[in-house]
Amino acid sequence: MDGFKILVVEDEASLVGMIQRGLSREGYQVSVALDGASALKMATEYEFDLITLDLMLPGISGLELCRTIRKKNTQVPILMLTALGTPENIVTGLDSGADDYLEKPFNFDVLNARIRSLIRRNKGVTTAHHLIKIADLTIDTTEKTVSRSGQNILLTATEFRLLEFLAVNRKKVLSRIDILEHVWDIDFNLGTNVVDVYINYLRKKIDKDFEPKLIHTAFGMGYVLKEAEA
Protein backbone atom coordinates (compact mmCIF):
# COMPACT_ATOMS: atom_id res chain seq x y z
CA MET A 1 0.00 0.00 0.00
CA ASP A 2 3.04 2.26 -0.30
CA GLY A 3 2.32 5.74 -1.59
CA PHE A 4 -1.44 5.83 -1.10
CA LYS A 5 -2.66 9.10 0.39
CA ILE A 6 -5.04 9.07 3.34
CA LEU A 7 -6.80 12.01 4.96
CA VAL A 8 -7.52 11.38 8.65
CA VAL A 9 -10.30 13.62 9.97
CA GLU A 10 -10.33 13.38 13.76
CA ASP A 11 -10.28 15.88 16.64
CA GLU A 12 -9.12 13.55 19.43
CA ALA A 13 -5.37 14.15 19.67
CA SER A 14 -4.39 10.76 21.14
CA LEU A 15 -6.39 8.89 18.51
CA VAL A 16 -4.97 11.04 15.71
CA GLY A 17 -1.46 10.21 16.87
CA MET A 18 -2.18 6.47 17.02
CA ILE A 19 -3.75 6.39 13.56
CA GLN A 20 -1.10 8.59 11.97
CA ARG A 21 1.81 6.61 13.39
CA GLY A 22 0.27 3.27 12.51
CA LEU A 23 -0.65 4.17 8.93
CA SER A 24 2.70 5.84 8.33
CA ARG A 25 4.43 2.60 9.38
CA GLU A 26 2.28 0.79 6.80
CA GLY A 27 3.65 3.06 4.07
CA TYR A 28 0.71 5.44 3.66
CA GLN A 29 1.11 9.18 3.19
CA VAL A 30 -1.07 10.56 5.99
CA SER A 31 -2.58 14.05 6.23
CA VAL A 32 -4.62 15.17 9.24
CA ALA A 33 -7.55 17.55 9.67
CA LEU A 34 -8.71 18.35 13.21
CA ASP A 35 -12.04 19.98 12.33
CA GLY A 36 -14.70 19.88 9.64
CA ALA A 37 -13.78 23.13 7.89
CA SER A 38 -10.13 22.15 7.49
CA ALA A 39 -11.14 18.70 6.30
CA LEU A 40 -13.49 20.11 3.66
CA LYS A 41 -10.80 22.43 2.34
CA MET A 42 -8.24 19.63 2.12
CA ALA A 43 -10.66 17.10 0.61
CA THR A 44 -11.71 19.50 -2.15
CA GLU A 45 -8.27 20.93 -2.95
CA TYR A 46 -6.21 17.72 -2.88
CA GLU A 47 -6.66 14.15 -4.09
CA PHE A 48 -6.75 11.34 -1.54
CA ASP A 49 -7.06 7.59 -1.97
CA LEU A 50 -9.19 7.28 1.18
CA ILE A 51 -10.67 9.44 3.94
CA THR A 52 -11.27 8.33 7.53
CA LEU A 53 -13.95 10.51 9.04
CA ASP A 54 -15.01 10.99 12.64
CA LEU A 55 -18.69 11.82 13.11
CA MET A 56 -18.29 14.14 16.08
CA LEU A 57 -16.28 17.12 14.83
CA PRO A 58 -16.08 20.80 15.79
CA GLY A 59 -17.64 23.08 13.22
CA ILE A 60 -19.00 21.03 10.35
CA SER A 61 -20.32 17.66 11.52
CA GLY A 62 -19.00 14.43 10.08
CA LEU A 63 -22.35 13.67 8.42
CA GLU A 64 -22.58 17.08 6.79
CA LEU A 65 -18.94 16.87 5.73
CA CYS A 66 -19.47 13.45 4.19
CA ARG A 67 -22.48 14.64 2.19
CA THR A 68 -20.55 17.68 0.91
CA ILE A 69 -17.52 15.63 -0.10
CA ARG A 70 -19.76 13.13 -1.88
CA LYS A 71 -21.31 15.86 -4.01
CA LYS A 72 -17.86 16.79 -5.26
CA ASN A 73 -16.22 13.36 -5.37
CA THR A 74 -18.24 10.17 -5.84
CA GLN A 75 -15.28 7.79 -5.93
CA VAL A 76 -13.00 8.44 -2.94
CA PRO A 77 -13.65 5.77 -0.29
CA ILE A 78 -14.87 7.19 3.02
CA LEU A 79 -14.51 5.17 6.23
CA MET A 80 -16.54 6.57 9.12
CA LEU A 81 -15.28 6.19 12.68
CA THR A 82 -18.13 6.42 15.17
CA ALA A 83 -18.78 5.87 18.85
CA LEU A 84 -22.48 5.58 17.96
CA GLY A 85 -22.79 1.98 16.80
CA THR A 86 -26.56 1.48 16.70
CA PRO A 87 -28.07 0.27 13.39
CA GLU A 88 -29.80 3.64 13.00
CA ASN A 89 -26.56 5.60 13.42
CA ILE A 90 -24.70 3.30 11.07
CA VAL A 91 -27.34 3.57 8.34
CA THR A 92 -27.42 7.35 8.75
CA GLY A 93 -23.67 7.44 8.20
CA LEU A 94 -23.86 5.20 5.14
CA ASP A 95 -26.83 7.20 3.93
CA SER A 96 -24.65 10.32 3.91
CA GLY A 97 -22.28 8.67 1.44
CA ALA A 98 -19.79 6.66 3.53
CA ASP A 99 -18.57 3.32 2.17
CA ASP A 100 -17.84 1.64 5.49
CA TYR A 101 -17.97 2.27 9.23
CA LEU A 102 -15.92 1.25 12.22
CA GLU A 103 -17.18 1.56 15.76
CA LYS A 104 -14.99 3.15 18.44
CA PRO A 105 -13.01 1.94 20.28
CA PHE A 106 -11.35 -0.15 17.58
CA ASN A 107 -8.23 -2.22 17.08
CA PHE A 108 -5.67 -0.69 14.70
CA ASP A 109 -5.25 -3.97 12.82
CA VAL A 110 -8.98 -3.96 12.08
CA LEU A 111 -8.80 -0.34 10.91
CA ASN A 112 -5.85 -1.19 8.68
CA ALA A 113 -7.68 -4.18 7.19
CA ARG A 114 -10.75 -2.07 6.42
CA ILE A 115 -8.57 0.57 4.75
CA ARG A 116 -6.75 -2.04 2.64
CA SER A 117 -10.06 -3.54 1.56
CA LEU A 118 -11.57 -0.20 0.55
CA ILE A 119 -8.51 0.92 -1.38
CA ARG A 120 -8.10 -2.47 -3.06
CA ARG A 121 -11.70 -2.44 -4.27
CA ASN A 122 -11.54 1.16 -5.41
CA LYS A 123 -8.20 0.75 -7.19
CA GLY A 124 -9.04 -2.60 -8.76
CA VAL A 125 -7.86 -2.74 -12.38
CA THR A 126 -9.71 -4.54 -15.15
CA THR A 127 -7.44 -5.61 -17.98
CA ALA A 128 -10.18 -5.80 -20.59
CA HIS A 129 -12.81 -3.23 -21.50
CA HIS A 130 -15.99 -4.88 -20.24
CA LEU A 131 -19.55 -3.80 -20.89
CA ILE A 132 -22.58 -5.34 -19.23
CA LYS A 133 -25.88 -4.66 -20.99
CA ILE A 134 -29.32 -5.42 -19.60
CA ALA A 135 -32.24 -3.98 -21.55
CA ASP A 136 -31.23 -0.33 -22.12
CA LEU A 137 -28.87 -0.30 -19.12
CA THR A 138 -25.13 -0.26 -19.90
CA ILE A 139 -22.47 -0.78 -17.23
CA ASP A 140 -18.82 -0.19 -18.10
CA THR A 141 -16.80 -2.06 -15.49
CA THR A 142 -13.53 -0.57 -16.73
CA GLU A 143 -14.49 3.09 -16.77
CA LYS A 144 -16.89 2.64 -13.82
CA THR A 145 -19.70 4.38 -15.72
CA VAL A 146 -23.40 3.64 -16.06
CA SER A 147 -25.98 4.81 -18.56
CA ARG A 148 -29.59 4.01 -19.36
CA SER A 149 -31.33 4.91 -22.62
CA GLY A 150 -28.21 6.90 -23.44
CA GLN A 151 -28.43 9.00 -20.27
CA ASN A 152 -25.38 8.96 -17.99
CA ILE A 153 -26.17 7.98 -14.40
CA LEU A 154 -23.83 9.14 -11.65
CA LEU A 155 -23.26 6.52 -8.92
CA THR A 156 -21.10 6.50 -5.83
CA ALA A 157 -18.43 3.80 -5.58
CA THR A 158 -20.62 1.70 -3.29
CA GLU A 159 -23.68 2.08 -5.51
CA PHE A 160 -21.60 1.00 -8.50
CA ARG A 161 -20.29 -2.11 -6.71
CA LEU A 162 -23.84 -3.03 -5.75
CA LEU A 163 -25.16 -2.58 -9.28
CA GLU A 164 -22.23 -4.50 -10.76
CA PHE A 165 -22.80 -7.40 -8.34
CA LEU A 166 -26.49 -7.52 -9.23
CA ALA A 167 -25.68 -7.32 -12.95
CA VAL A 168 -23.02 -10.03 -12.91
CA ASN A 169 -25.59 -12.24 -11.15
CA ARG A 170 -28.53 -11.15 -13.29
CA LYS A 171 -31.70 -13.21 -12.91
CA LYS A 172 -30.28 -14.71 -9.70
CA VAL A 173 -31.94 -13.87 -6.40
CA LEU A 174 -29.30 -12.51 -4.03
CA SER A 175 -29.90 -12.53 -0.30
CA ARG A 176 -29.02 -9.57 1.88
CA ILE A 177 -26.17 -11.61 3.38
CA ASP A 178 -24.82 -12.38 -0.13
CA ILE A 179 -24.87 -8.68 -0.93
CA LEU A 180 -23.28 -7.61 2.36
CA GLU A 181 -20.44 -10.10 1.96
CA HIS A 182 -19.66 -9.29 -1.67
CA VAL A 183 -20.34 -5.54 -1.88
CA TRP A 184 -19.10 -4.40 1.54
CA ASP A 185 -16.73 -7.30 2.22
CA ILE A 186 -17.15 -6.93 6.00
CA ASP A 187 -19.25 -8.40 8.78
CA PHE A 188 -22.01 -5.85 9.19
CA ASN A 189 -24.42 -6.05 12.07
CA LEU A 190 -27.25 -7.88 10.32
CA GLY A 191 -29.71 -5.76 12.27
CA THR A 192 -28.94 -2.88 9.90
CA ASN A 193 -30.96 -2.27 6.76
CA VAL A 194 -28.02 -0.92 4.78
CA VAL A 195 -28.74 -3.22 1.81
CA ASP A 196 -32.32 -2.00 1.57
CA VAL A 197 -31.14 1.60 1.83
CA TYR A 198 -28.71 1.20 -1.07
CA ILE A 199 -31.19 -0.77 -3.17
CA ASN A 200 -33.53 2.21 -2.80
CA TYR A 201 -30.72 4.56 -3.89
CA LEU A 202 -30.18 2.46 -7.02
CA ARG A 203 -33.88 2.27 -7.81
CA LYS A 204 -34.17 6.04 -7.69
CA LYS A 205 -31.29 6.38 -10.15
CA ILE A 206 -31.71 3.29 -12.34
CA ASP A 207 -35.46 2.60 -12.39
CA LYS A 208 -37.48 5.62 -11.26
CA ASP A 209 -37.56 7.44 -14.61
CA PHE A 210 -37.21 4.41 -16.88
CA GLU A 211 -39.11 1.37 -18.15
CA PRO A 212 -38.96 -1.54 -17.74
CA LYS A 213 -38.06 -1.71 -14.07
CA LEU A 214 -34.93 -3.80 -13.58
CA ILE A 215 -34.42 -4.13 -9.81
CA HIS A 216 -36.96 -6.46 -8.23
CA THR A 217 -37.68 -7.64 -4.70
CA ALA A 218 -37.95 -11.38 -4.09
CA PHE A 219 -40.01 -11.16 -0.91
CA GLY A 220 -38.46 -12.98 2.00
CA MET A 221 -35.37 -13.84 -0.06
CA GLY A 222 -33.58 -10.76 -1.40
CA TYR A 223 -33.18 -8.86 -4.66
CA VAL A 224 -32.71 -9.67 -8.33
CA LEU A 225 -31.77 -7.66 -11.43
CA LYS A 226 -33.69 -8.76 -14.51
CA GLU A 227 -35.69 -7.30 -17.37
CA ALA A 228 -39.11 -8.34 -16.20
CA GLU A 229 -40.69 -10.04 -13.25
CA ALA A 230 -41.53 -13.69 -13.76
Side-chain angles (χ1 to χ4, degrees), residues 4-34:
F4 287 114
K5 299 177 181 178
I6 295 179
L7 173 61
V8 175
V9 185
E10 171 65 57
D11 67 330
E12 187 179 332
S14 60
L15 185 55
V16 168
M18 183 271 284
I19 295 174
Q20 188 173 26
R21 288 191 301 272
L23 293 181
S24 295
R25 284 196 298 267
E26 294 295 325
Y28 295 104
Q29 298 180 37
V30 183
S31 300
V32 173
L34 300 176

Side-chain angles (χ1 to χ4, degrees), residues 26-227:
E26 294 295 325
Y28 295 104
Q29 298 180 37
V30 183
S31 300
V32 173
L34 300 176
D35 58 75
S38 299
L40 181 58
K41 179 177 176 62
M42 295 173 70
T44 53
E45 292 185 358
Y46 303 97
E47 291 188 5
F48 293 96
D49 297 294
L50 181 136
I51 298 172
T52 71
L53 178 58
D54 183 24
L55 284 183
M56 307 298 288
L57 292 169
I60 304 173
S61 72
L63 289 176
E64 183 181 352
L65 179 60
C66 188
R67 294 188 187 103
T68 303
I69 292 173
R70 267 291 168 256
K71 291 177 182 178
K72 300 175 182 295
N73 187 333
T74 62
Q75 296 303 308
V76 62
I78 297 176
L79 171 59
M80 277 195 169
L81 306 178
T82 174
L84 306 174
T86 67
E88 293 77 13
N89 291 127
I90 292 164
V91 169
T92 299
L94 294 167
D95 188 23
S96 70
D99 297 286
D100 194 357
Y101 76 92
L102 187 59
E103 187 176 350
K104 295 179 180 179
F106 53 82
N107 178 279
F108 176 78
D109 290 337
V110 175
L111 172 66
N112 192 26
R114 296 285 183 89
I115 288 173
R116 286 198 307 269
S117 177
L118 285 169
I119 291 179
R120 184 169 58 245
R121 289 204 309 260
N122 195 52
K123 298 296 182 181
V125 177
T126 304
T127 56
H129 192 72
H130 189 200
L131 296 179
I132 301 175
K133 294 187 177 183
I134 303 172
D136 57 347
L137 175 69
T138 300
I139 304 166
D140 188 325
T141 61
T142 304
E143 299 295 332
K144 306 297 184 186
T145 58
V146 176
S147 64
R148 187 157 187 194
S149 294
Q151 299 182 37
N152 291 330
I153 298 172
L154 186 63
L155 300 182
T156 67
T158 301
E159 290 167 349
F160 184 89
R161 288 197 302 272
L162 174 56
L163 179 61
E164 183 179 17
F165 184 56
L166 291 171
V168 168
N169 294 279
R170 73 189 78 178
K171 298 183 181 180
K172 178 181 178 181
V173 175
L174 300 170
S175 71
R176 289 169 176 80
I177 294 176
D178 289 333
I179 295 171
L180 283 171
E181 290 178 347
H182 287 83
V183 175
W184 279 269
D185 193 29
I186 61 172
D187 296 325
F188 267 88
N189 180 332
L190 295 182
T192 71
N193 63 341
V194 61
V195 172
D196 308 275
V197 169
Y198 270 85
I199 287 289
N200 285 334
Y201 291 165
L202 277 186
R203 280 178 164 153
K204 290 177 182 178
K205 295 183 177 183
I206 299 299
D207 274 347
K208 182 180 178 182
D209 298 322
F210 302 95
E211 293 292 342
K213 305 305 180 189
L214 298 178
I215 302 174
H216 305 280
T217 301
F219 293 101
M221 294 183 287
Y223 297 99
V224 58
L225 185 70
K226 59 183 180 179
E227 291 191 38

